[in-house]
Amino acid sequence: MDAAAPPSVPSSRSFSPSGPPGGPVVVERAEGVGGELVLRRAGEHFEIISNGVFLMDTRNGESERLLVRTALEGLAGPVRLLIGGLGVGFSLAEAVAHPAVARVTVVEREPAVIAWHRDVLRPFSRGAADDPRVRVVCADLVEWIGSGDGDTGEGDGRFEALCLDTDNGPDWVVTPGNARLYRGAGLAALAGRMGAGGVLAFWSANAAPAFEAALRERFGSVEARAVPVPRGEPDVVYLARNPGPDPGPESGL
């Protein structure tokens, strides 16, 4: 594995296997970049909580897998793939299983999440972080996109597929700074990372009409795919292709 993750920092992480009888059990608490992260066990599954807000769990993952599958549709290999947000690993596992994928760069800002994939979450990512095609970068995605980091195997910093799952969607970001990814400057920076014929894909826990409109202003082809879930409104995967001309000086992050 070609990893850029920093060593673990035990002083900021604590194990606390506690919880109400019959309810989720706290496996670990970590002081993360964006605040407190909690990993909980609920039966055979795990949940990640950020600052008291539920982010994701290991119960389904169909929309996270679809995020990658739809981005790769119609792309001939070799494909360089960017995944924004490691999460519980469903997207990464789907990526390394695809025969067209030659290289995967995962950008995850929380060291604790990366560490969990070395142990308790490893079965859900199917050990994909150890695949020699995979590079895990511990960095804030917003900052990384604008940094010019170009280690994609060809040195130009571009990807044929970019799959973003850093928030609960454009309307429900984990931290305020992530909102930049979903508007003009952020979309322009992401478009600059797309290789020829590339696809930009976003996961959302709900339909986001204003975000879809912003995509249509910047890209020639936009598609929204609803993914039914057991409870609540469907998840949505947004796909954008054919970026338009750079809008100018406001395109920087």
Side-chain angles (χ1 to χ4, degrees):
M1 168 185 170
D2 180 8
S8 60
V9 281
S11 61
S12 65
R13 304 172 61 199
S14 63
F15 289 86
S16 179
S18 61
V25 175
V26 174
V27 176
E28 182 175 352
R29 296 182 186 274
E31 190 59 37
V33 176
E36 184 189 57
L37 284 175
V38 177
L39 180 67
R40 303 193 310 195
R41 181 186 294 111
E44 62 181 342
H45 291 286
F46 292 88
E47 303 169 341
I48 296 179
I49 313 297
S50 174
N51 294 319
V53 177
F54 175 87
L55 285 186
M56 65 198 75
D57 62 27
T58 61
R59 289 180 177 85
N60 188 314
E62 179 57 29
S63 59
E64 291 90 338
R65 296 184 183 96
L66 185 67
L67 175 73
V68 171
R69 286 201 303 271
T70 54
L72 293 173
E73 284 178 2
L75 293 179
V79 171
R80 297 165 295 176
L81 173 66
L82 172 68
I83 296 177
L86 178 56
V88 295
F90 290 136
S91 295
L92 177 57
E94 187 72 24
V96 299
H98 198 288
V101 172
R103 189 166 180 85
V104 183
T105 299
V106 182
V107 180
E108 169 58 56
R109 73 176 183 174
E110 297 292 356
V113 173
I114 296 172
W116 292 337
H117 280 275
R118 301 189 191 110
D119 42 62
V120 292
L121 293 183
R122 182 182 175 86
F124 302 98
S125 55
R126 302 175 192 166
D130 293 331
D131 190 294
R133 295 170 294 169
V134 174
R135 176 188 182 221
V136 179
V137 181
C138 189
D140 182 278
L141 181 64
V142 176
E143 297 176 359
W144 187 87
I145 287 293
S147 71
D149 185 326
D151 186 8
T152 62
E154 295 185 12
D156 64 357
R158 296 178 184 269
F159 301 86
E160 284 70 45
L162 298 85
C163 299
L164 275 63
D165 185 8
T166 55
D167 302 286
N168 280 326
D171 298 334
W172 192 0
V173 295
V174 175
T175 55
N178 282 3
R180 291 176 289 171
L181 288 169
Y182 305 102
R183 53 194 189 219
L187 294 177
L190 289 165
R193 290 291 195 136
M194 296 171 68
V199 181
L200 175 59
F202 294 85
W203 182 90
S204 178
N206 57 273
F211 173 63
E212 183 174 345
L215 286 176
R216 294 189 183 281
E217 289 180 0
R218 185 68 182 80
F219 296 88
S221 174
V222 175
E223 180 182 359
R225 295 197 187 183
V227 186
V229 295
R231 292 178 296 176
E233 63 180 294
D235 295 340
V236 180
V237 172
Y238 289 97
L239 302 164
R241 300 176 176 86
N242 306 322
D246 190 319
E250 293 185 359
S251 63
L253 277 176

